[in-house]
Amino acid sequence: MSDRERPRLKEIQYVALGASDLDRSLSFYQGDLGLALNSTAPGWAFLDTGAVTLCLSEQLGQSIDRSVGATEVVFTVDDIDQAHRSLRDLGVEFDADPHPAAEIEWAANFRDPDGHRLTIFGPNRSE
């Protein structure tokens, strides 16, 4: 296939995650993570994360084969320690404390109510 025939993919606009209980997932993403709800449709919720809209889907939640693939959604933060502390205080359970993940960036991983791996990623301002 020549370059001329290939479709040109652009930026990612949506990321969809399965939600077995949409209300529970919305409580987590809105209440604990502080994401703003853009809109809803039957079985769907659309959350504002900046350039990419995070979609929660009951249909995907019912059809997920948990053994297929690995997915991680990464949220940037301005201060990893502050974000980690705030989320932990809200009851978010982390897999591990913040740790170096790149030359000057740190990461901390946790899971949403359906087990999707989520990460906060940013500088460690308290170092």
Side-chain angles (χ1 to χ4, degrees), residues 27-48:
S27 177
F28 176 78
Y29 282 97
Q30 286 184 281
D32 293 347
L33 302 188
L35 298 181
L37 181 65
N38 278 347
S39 62
T40 61
W44 288 85
F46 302 89
L47 299 157
D48 182 15

Side-chain angles (χ1 to χ4, degrees), residues 74-85:
V74 180
F75 296 94
T76 58
V77 295
D78 293 328
D79 181 334
I80 192 83
D81 282 335
Q82 185 276 327
H84 176 258
R85 196 171 34 257

Side-chain angles (χ1 to χ4, degrees), residues 32-112:
D32 293 347
L33 302 188
L35 298 181
L37 181 65
N38 278 347
S39 62
T40 61
W44 288 85
F46 302 89
L47 299 157
D48 182 15
T49 66
V52 176
T53 298
L54 181 62
C55 308
L56 302 176
S57 166
E58 286 183 330
Q59 182 180 7
L60 285 176
Q62 294 167 0
S63 64
I64 285 176
D65 177 356
R66 301 229 186 261
S67 66
V68 176
T71 303
E72 180 177 4
V73 177
V74 180
F75 296 94
T76 58
V77 295
D78 293 328
D79 181 334
I80 192 83
D81 282 335
Q82 185 276 327
H84 176 258
R85 196 171 34 257
S86 294
L87 290 170
R88 193 183 58 222
D89 290 348
L90 288 168
V92 172
E93 294 181 24
F94 283 82
D95 298 338
D97 288 334
H99 55 276
E103 189 173 321
I104 60 170
E105 303 291 341
W106 288 59
N109 313 102
F110 57 103
R111 300 201 180 263
D112 78 357

